[in-house]
Amino acid sequence: MDPRRRVPRTDAVLADPRLAAAVERLGRPAVKDAVVRAQQRVRQGEIEPEDVADVALAALPPNATSLRPVINMTGVLLHTNLGRAPLSPAAVEAVTVAAGATDVEFDLTTGARARRGRGAVEALARAVPDAEGVHVVNNNAAALVLAATVLAAGREIVISRGELVEIGDGFRIPDLLVSTGARLREVGTTNRTTLADYRDVIGPQTGFVLKVHPSNFRVEGFTGSVEVAELTGLGVPVVVDIGSGLLARDPLLPEEPDAASVLRAGADLVTASGDKLLGGPQAGLLLGRRDLVERLRRHPLARALRVDKLTLAALEATLRGPEPPVRQALHADPIVLGERAEALAKALCRAGVDAAAVSAEATVGGGGAPGVGLPSVAVSLPERLAAPLRRGEPPVVGRVEGGRLLLDLRAVPPDRDGEVLAAVLKATS
Ligand SMILES: *Cc1c(COP(=O)(O)O)cnc(C)c1O
């Protein structure tokens, strides 16, 4: 009989113990889909009927998410399109713990309800002792929306024209603020704003003064802006969006504002992201005066911006645990990066690949420190390898510069060099 007419029945194939196990892991639709596609190939005479289970098995996705883990060799430490900060192993473990039923909002001693995510809140308070109050929301944009809603709806937010920032993908902080019902009172010019500019517009209609860190651009030349410490004398709350989530000063990034310094300078409230230089999960941090933080925390909108238990667990582990990958990448020694790149290039050359270790410049990314170059080292390869590497397993994403593909090592943990080598060898074969 024509093998094309001996297509095994779907139920019979799904009874294969290996496929039954896959159903447990991936869900029935994904497995059935793979079986149906294998059956189709039998009908087209491409495979034998008895191979349907094996072929379906080989075509199954590795897990139930379509997200693929990528090796970030772009030289951009915080790449928004690649999910910003990678979590530390401690944070990943915390997420697994939190995934089940947990005491996220429950006191196991008394059996009563407890403050949600108090572990993360306590860790944050301990990391920033200058903050009397702390609260965590979904992201920094949410933190700004909450502050604007509670402190300035129907009133004015005073902001310098030099700080009207577009954060990416067409989203703009001024639009975000206005969406809450607050009005913007723009002061100064693109390049220069003085204390008098602020003072001239402060009045009963002022909700707060907002300072936004220009985290993804730099203005140079005839410029001037007003320090937080000077703004605190205006008699209205000063809210500072520091962007990157640096909690304390980092000597490597002298221009990057940090929460502790800004609070010490007198800011009433600081907002920041969790998944930029802090190196944690997507989250919005609110730090500052206890009364203001409490008002924000008790506002109905706070419930809509409430952060997930997985995030709380990852944030706590990031704050308490070992140095997260972004911080390691930021402080990686260029000499060690050079040795790693040399070793990779040498192994590739031995395999006949046109590879060389070259010095490169990495950046923090849209998440902070605009214009700051971090000395780095890359493996330079023929440009035509970019697509096969991107489509490989695991996908490796580099950057093309001057007709070469550069695989920058700064954002790659050293224990992954073997995978990089294997990926390049596979892409060239
Ligand atoms: C990144 C950034 C934001 C947005 O933060 P999200 O956590 O992505 O919502 C807001 N303000 C500044 C200054 C930023 O750098």
Side-chain angles (χ1 to χ4, degrees):
M1 188 167 82
D2 183 347
R4 278 174 289 190
R5 306 195 52 192
R6 288 190 291 121
V7 180
R9 286 185 39 225
T10 308
D11 284 351
V13 182
L14 284 171
D16 182 303
R18 296 168 304 167
L19 287 173
V23 168
E24 291 294 311
R25 222 161 42 75
L26 303 171
R28 196 175 159 86
V31 180
K32 195 173 160 193
D33 206 47
V35 170
V36 168
R37 273 181 282 125
Q39 288 168 322
Q40 191 60 32
R41 293 184 62 187
V42 176
R43 282 187 207 100
Q44 287 161 355
E46 290 172 15
I47 61 171
E48 296 299 321
E50 50 276 16
D51 292 337
V52 166
D54 284 342
V55 169
L57 211 56
L60 287 174
N63 48 53
T65 172
S66 59
L67 287 177
R68 308 268 305 280
V70 169
I71 301 186
N72 173 13
M73 303 194 78
T74 58
V76 181
L77 305 195
L78 293 164
H79 200 299
T80 299
N81 303 148
L82 300 180
R84 287 197 187 151
L87 294 182
S88 67
V92 172
E93 195 182 331
V95 168
T96 310
V97 170
T102 58
D103 59 344
V104 65
E105 209 173 311
F106 185 67
D107 186 329
L108 290 167
T109 314
T110 62
R113 180 193 195 122
R115 179 168 175 188
R116 184 179 175 82
R118 58 209 174 285
V121 167
E122 278 161 20
L124 189 54
R126 183 194 287 203
V128 191
D130 293 287
E132 294 170 4
V134 304
H135 182 55
V136 182
V137 290
N138 259 319
N139 53 23
N140 191 7
L144 284 170
V145 162
L146 189 57
T149 303
V150 177
L151 306 177
R155 298 201 293 151
E156 290 181 356
I157 298 171
V158 180
I159 183 170
S160 160
R161 290 195 172 91
E163 299 174 7
L164 300 170
V165 178
E166 174 167 321
I167 46 185
D169 195 23
F171 288 101
R172 295 170 168 176
I173 288 181
D175 299 342
L176 192 76
L177 296 169
V178 166
S179 76
T180 66
R183 294 186 303 277
L184 287 194
R185 190 67 189 260
E186 299 172 13
V187 297
T189 60
T190 308
N191 56 327
R192 285 178 73 83
T193 303
T194 65
L195 185 58
D197 292 326
Y198 286 97
R199 198 183 288 122
D200 284 349
V201 303
I202 300 284
Q205 72 290 349
T206 306
F208 59 86
V209 168
L210 177 63
K211 244 188 113 55
V212 176
H213 175 53
S215 59
N216 53 10
F217 70 99
R218 214 159 66 168
V219 182
E220 278 174 57
F222 184 53
T223 64
S225 62
V226 183
E227 297 293 324
V228 173
E230 298 177 74
L231 293 173
T232 57
L234 294 170
V236 293
V238 177
V239 179
V240 182
D241 171 9
I242 61 167
S244 80
L246 263 194
L247 298 184
R249 234 181 78 76
D250 188 324
L252 203 63
L253 306 172
E255 307 272 305
E256 198 63 18
D258 65 277
S261 306
V262 169
L263 286 168
R264 247 175 266 151
D268 297 279
L269 204 57
V270 168
T271 77
S273 296
D275 57 352
K276 292 183 179 172
L277 286 172
L278 183 65
Q282 179 187 302
L285 314 181
L286 281 153
L287 308 140
R289 254 170 59 193
R290 193 189 320 276
D291 62 322
L292 295 184
V293 172
E294 275 310 293
R295 274 175 67 197
L296 264 57
R297 196 165 83 78
R298 301 312 312 172
H299 188 277
L301 184 62
R303 181 62 177 76
L305 309 176
R306 187 175 86 170
V307 74
D308 177 58
K309 64 185 180 212
L310 304 181
T311 304
L312 288 165
L315 180 61
E316 180 179 359
T318 301
L319 291 164
R320 292 194 202 273
E323 191 175 53
V326 164
R327 315 275 319 156
Q328 288 178 15
L330 187 62
H331 294 113
D333 182 348
I335 293 173
V336 176
L337 294 176
E339 289 164 0
R340 290 170 55 196
E342 289 288 353
L344 276 168
K346 211 161 133 193
L348 288 167
C349 287
R350 252 190 317 227
V353 181
D354 165 19
V358 298
S359 53
E361 192 165 90
T363 57
V364 169
V372 176
L374 304 166
S376 190
V377 187
V379 177
S380 163
L381 296 168
E383 183 182 341
R384 65 182 153 73
L385 292 178
L389 276 168
R390 217 171 47 233
R391 296 183 196 131
E393 183 57 57
V396 174
V397 184
R399 71 171 186 278
V400 171
E401 214 174 87
R404 299 285 289 178
L405 172 66
L406 299 186
L407 301 183
D408 192 307
L409 281 156
R410 192 177 263 278
V412 182
D415 63 359
R416 304 206 64 182
D417 287 358
E419 278 176 88
V420 172
L421 177 61
V424 178
L425 289 174
K426 203 162 140 206
T428 50
S429 67

